[in-house]
Amino acid sequence: MKKFSFLLAIMVACSVLLAQEDQGTTMDQPVRPPLETPWAKVNTGEFSEPVPYQPTRESDIMYFRTIWRVIDLREKMNHPLYFPTATNGTWRSLAQLIFDAVDFKNEENMDALPVYTSELCDTYQDKATIRATLSETSLVADIDLETGEYLGTKESYNEFQAYQVYSYRIKEVWFFDKQRSVLDVRILEIEPMVEYERPGSEQSYEDEGDNFVELNMNTRRMGYIMYDELRPYLVKQEIFNVKNNAARLSMDDLLTFKRQFASYIFKEDNVYDRDIQQYMANPRDQRIESERITNDIRVYEHDLWEL
């Protein structure tokens, strides 16, 4: 009887250990929804759907223009899209939301947000390519842990984090709909831009004690995401409202309809298919050209109502 009890105790202990290996310890598991307010919070994210656009017919479009913009998250107006730098309860940054939706670590998730190879959004990227894009490869020493023998070098992958996304490129179309008599805009695609530092440049320096390490700021393009496919995720994510925390907005409200973000134009559709910086070398002239394009669209709408 004692042997049977002893064996039963061992089996129970083994099953508990296996369960902890699969699901983590009980200290890691959430016991209740995040405590953020003293009142019960209604979770509307499960059934929120994007507000559909107004129906538009090609025959009603009498003018349109394709614009490419940069949303720099270092600008103060864009901080609600950048913070928090790490997930805090129900709060996530735009980059973290995209990383979670793409789910590039899980190749078996067929419902993940797709990433495309071009701004036309016609060819998918596979998960292996996305993972290689979102990680930095470096060579490290390969040492035998038992003998300490040096075996050469091997590749090491350091994955980028959401807080390293400092800007986004978006492609949008401005058009005048004569049926509704309005100048409207639609975002077509969005492209996160990862910025990271690498040693071996004279551009910037970092002080580490008495030594100065040369750093080089590199930019890596994650890939193109169709905006209409991203909207179902944006509408379920609340964003901080700097004017009234009780009247929170969704990311879809902020980006799609209210357009409460700061940006600058770096390209318009043209016969040469070139960016502004390709024919304007001076950064000041580039910004002036960007403002000129914005003003041209505004003037076109204004002239439609002139007598």
Side-chain angles (χ1 to χ4, degrees):
M1 186 65 182
K2 292 182 178 180
K3 291 183 179 180
F4 177 76
S5 301
F6 180 71
L7 291 174
L8 182 62
I10 293 177
M11 292 175 63
V12 171
C14 291
S15 62
V16 171
L17 290 175
L18 289 175
Q20 289 180 350
E21 288 180 1
D22 294 338
Q23 303 177 1
T25 64
T26 55
M27 296 297 291
D28 298 332
Q29 304 300 320
V31 295
R32 60 176 64 87
L35 181 61
E36 297 177 335
T37 57
W39 50 85
K41 184 177 179 181
V42 178
N43 183 14
T44 59
E46 295 299 329
F47 51 86
S48 296
E49 296 294 335
V51 177
Y53 296 124
Q54 288 290 336
T56 304
R57 298 186 308 168
E58 183 180 5
S59 58
D60 292 331
I61 306 303
M62 56 180 297
Y63 165 89
F64 82 92
R65 209 163 180 180
T66 306
I67 301 294
W68 287 260
R69 295 180 181 272
V70 172
I71 301 177
D72 192 341
L73 301 185
R74 283 170 283 249
E75 296 195 34
K76 186 175 182 180
M77 187 174 181
N78 298 329
H79 283 179
L81 297 173
Y82 180 75
F83 293 99
T85 54
T87 302
N88 183 12
T90 58
W91 295 97
R92 288 183 297 176
S93 64
L94 176 58
Q96 188 63 58
L97 182 146
I98 292 176
F99 279 25
D100 294 343
V102 171
D103 195 16
F104 58 90
K105 298 180 183 179
N106 184 9
E107 296 186 2
E108 298 180 356
N109 184 4
M110 304 305 296
D111 296 328
L113 179 68
V115 180
Y116 298 90
T117 58
S118 71
E119 65 183 21
L120 299 178
C121 297
D122 56 354
T123 307
Y124 290 117
Q125 278 192 25
D126 56 77
K127 292 292 185 69
T129 303
I130 300 173
R131 186 165 188 174
T133 303
L134 294 178
S135 61
E136 174 67 7
T137 306
S138 59
L139 294 177
V140 297
D142 186 10
I143 300 176
D144 192 330
L145 299 178
E146 295 183 358
T147 63
E149 180 183 359
Y150 175 74
L151 303 177
T153 59
K154 62 180 180 180
E155 289 186 345
S156 174
Y157 294 91
N158 299 318
E159 293 182 355
F160 297 130
Q161 303 300 318
Y163 65 84
Q164 293 177 279
V165 177
Y166 285 101
S167 62
Y168 296 90
R169 291 187 175 188
I170 62 173
K171 177 183 178 181
E172 61 187 16
V173 174
W174 288 83
F175 60 93
F176 188 86
D177 187 350
K178 66 180 182 180
Q179 177 68 26
R180 295 183 290 134
S181 298
V182 295
L183 182 69
D184 210 343
V185 60
R186 298 281 192 274
I187 300 177
L188 298 182
E189 53 89 8
I190 184 170
E191 181 185 15
M193 308 292 290
V194 179
E195 294 186 18
Y196 60 101
E197 297 175 344
R198 295 183 65 183
S201 174
E202 299 178 357
Q203 295 183 5
S204 60
Y205 297 89
E206 181 177 339
D207 187 6
E208 292 187 356
D210 297 331
N211 301 321
F212 288 89
V213 179
E214 296 181 353
L215 298 174
N216 180 24
M217 295 302 298
N218 289 263
T219 302
R220 183 168 296 184
R221 307 168 75 163
M222 174 180 170
Y224 300 90
I225 298 172
M226 186 185 297
Y227 188 73
D228 285 348
E229 294 178 345
L230 179 62
R231 286 190 66 200
Y233 299 93
L234 297 177
V235 75
K236 296 179 182 180
Q237 181 60 51
E238 288 184 337
I239 199 168
F240 187 81
N241 189 345
V242 295
K243 296 182 179 180
N244 183 3
N245 202 25
R248 295 178 179 174
L249 302 173
S250 71
M251 284 190 178
D252 185 57
D253 294 331
L254 183 139
L255 291 171
T256 307
F257 298 106
K258 293 184 177 295
R259 293 181 63 87
Q260 293 180 358
F261 57 86
S263 64
Y264 62 89
I265 298 173
F266 73 91
K267 182 182 178 182
E268 66 170 336
D269 50 348
N270 58 88
V271 66
Y272 305 106
D273 192 27
R274 58 183 181 177
D275 299 350
I276 292 177
Q277 63 180 0
Q278 292 182 267
Y279 61 91
M280 293 282 184
N282 191 310
R284 178 176 176 273
D285 293 338
Q286 293 175 13
R287 184 53 63 94
I288 293 175
E289 178 71 3
S290 174
E291 294 298 328
R292 181 196 65 78
I293 297 172
T294 303
N295 187 64
D296 285 349
I297 298 175
R298 186 184 303 113
V299 168
Y300 177 84
E301 181 188 23
H302 179 268
D303 291 345
L304 291 173
W305 306 107
E306 284 291 307
L307 297 178

